Amino acid sequence: MISTENLTFQYSPSKKFQFPDFACADRETMLILGKSGKGKTTLLHLMALLLHPTGGKIQINNKEISELSVGDAARFRAQNVGIIYQKAHFVHSLSVMDNLLLVNYLSGQKQAVEKARHFAESLGFADHLKKKTTQLSQGEQQRVSIARALMNNPSVILADEPTSNLDDDNCLKVVDLLKNQTNEIGASLVVVTHDQRLKDVFEKQIQL
Amino acid sequence: MQTNVCLNDMNLIKISWSNLKDKPLTSFLSISLMALGIGIISLLLLVSKQLDEKFTRNVKGIDMVIGAKGSPLQLILASIYQIDAPTGNIPLEEATKLTRSPLVKTAIPLSMGDNYQGYRVIGTNEKYLQHFEVEYAEGKVFSKAMEVVAGAKAAQNLELKVGDSFVSQHGYDGEGHKHDEQKFKVTGILKTNNSVVDQLILTPLESVWAVHEHHEEGEQHADSGANALKLLEEDGSHKEEHEEEPKEITSMLIKFRNPALGMMMARNINQNTTLQTATPAIEINRLFALLGVGLDTLKWIALVIIIVSGLSVFVSLYNSLKERKYEMALMLSMGATRIRLFLLLLLEGLMISIIGYAAGVLLSRLGLWVMAENVEKNFHYDFNVLSLLPEEMYLMLGALVIGLLAAALPSLGIYRINISRTLADE
């Protein structure tokens, strides 16, 4: 689970964001909607410990993370937070399978080949495990990046515009898979987007 | 199952290797440049080592060469290594007189001028064979004029056997006119000696005189030559018995009892006679100094190629880091430390160096083999090329350092990546 309180972030004196408080429990899903320039990505990076808040608190699993040092934050993120980006990026030279195992490797966990296969089955890209990621379609790539976010059994899954590059068909499919998989590992899912198509599929929503 | 797990395991080496394979042409270029540079230097090292060994082995025990006036280097090359034309002939008598000095331990006369299909026929005496400590594969030493003993290589390539006979040609290249009237007969074949003897055909001095004086009465002259020879071998008790045309030889190899005192004798000969002396050690050093300029130039060129290979690693890593900036930020967000990614990139440079080095060393062995096949006629190369020369260890160190440096400079860019901004930028 994840919750925030009086969260603020300041790039410069004139560019300052103040975010509403929210909480997202385990197995709960939440949509954060906002137009461009409202600080969606900034909020996501704060939750992902990629940025350090100027003020306020963030708690993941009841642990205050805004006070962690850079090194501790990196370790905490690697083990507790899974991130899905707008455009699926991978390590270009590695196969789909290796890109999944990379998550385990870089965070110092055991490399879970079976788990990767399992996700590939449930997300429908089991036939592509040996291929390079560039050989996959955008929809397939986004599904691989969902699997990648799940590889370390994180407590929180953060998705930044996960559907904006997908057509309607793929959009709903990907969101569905995202919700199911998150539920399966018992994590909280926070989706940040401007994609109005998602408005109807999330019960809990906040607007920036 | 176990291997399956190992193959699937991710690690830095696997990622680096994948990155190299992902850009095959760029990697190939960097590796080729490294291999070329290392290959050239390594080949130069091998060749100069082999030449050095060859030259040292053939010169052993010979302190001085007496011959006709001319280039002392030419005299040494012709008399010791049999790779140049001699400076001219000298009267046997005069040479013999000089060698009767108490300073001289041994004197070996040489007379050249003929060849058989490119292999030199050298007139000499048994002392020459003893000097090189030859062993016989077949047959025995010559006992009279027109008998020959063939070196291992010469015998093999000319397909000579004991009992065979052949006609020599004038000159050193196998294209001179044939001495049809006089036939040489093979009495012995030598075992491989790893010295110049391997490519020679040896015969008593008298044979050479006989062959070249056939227009007069060969028999008689061969006899008088033998007398002069006897003079040489018995330290000369009886002098000039007949009035006759003086016998000539090409040169005389001298071993001193005391080389230091011998040098004084050499100076005396050069100043007071029509002969000249040459010291193998000095001339060979001079030759190597001359060769050294060429070898050094090549070494510098090779070094430049290696540095260009380093540049190529630098540029390709620099460019790929720009392309892979997002990838790097991604890995950082997944818990990779910066030092780990730095090592990852360093490893790519290192791999190129190592592969390039290995390919270069292989290339040099291949080059030496091809060279040896081609110049076997002049030099018998020893093949001890499986082991690395000590210098090649330093070469490896150099290659690694260049690879590391070339990779380290662009890889430092890892420390400048702002994760959040890079990931937000797309």
Side-chain angles (χ1 to χ4, degrees), chain B residues 358-375:
Chain B
V361 168
L362 277 178
L363 216 63
S364 69
R365 267 52 179 179
L366 194 72
L368 186 69
W369 181 75
V370 170
M371 272 176 71
E373 291 286 292
N374 285 327
V375 299

Side-chain angles (χ1 to χ4, degrees), chain B residues 37-47 360-361 364-365 392 395:
Chain B
I38 297 285
I40 292 176
I41 293 189
S42 176
L43 184 63
L44 290 178
L45 288 172
L46 284 172
V47 168
V361 168
S364 69
R365 267 52 179 179
E392 287 179 316
L395 210 52

Side-chain angles (χ1 to χ4, degrees), chain B residues 15 26 34 195 288 303 308 377:
Chain B
I15 304 172
T26 314
M34 182 60 88
S195 72
F288 275 0
L303 214 64
V308 171
K377 254 182 146 178

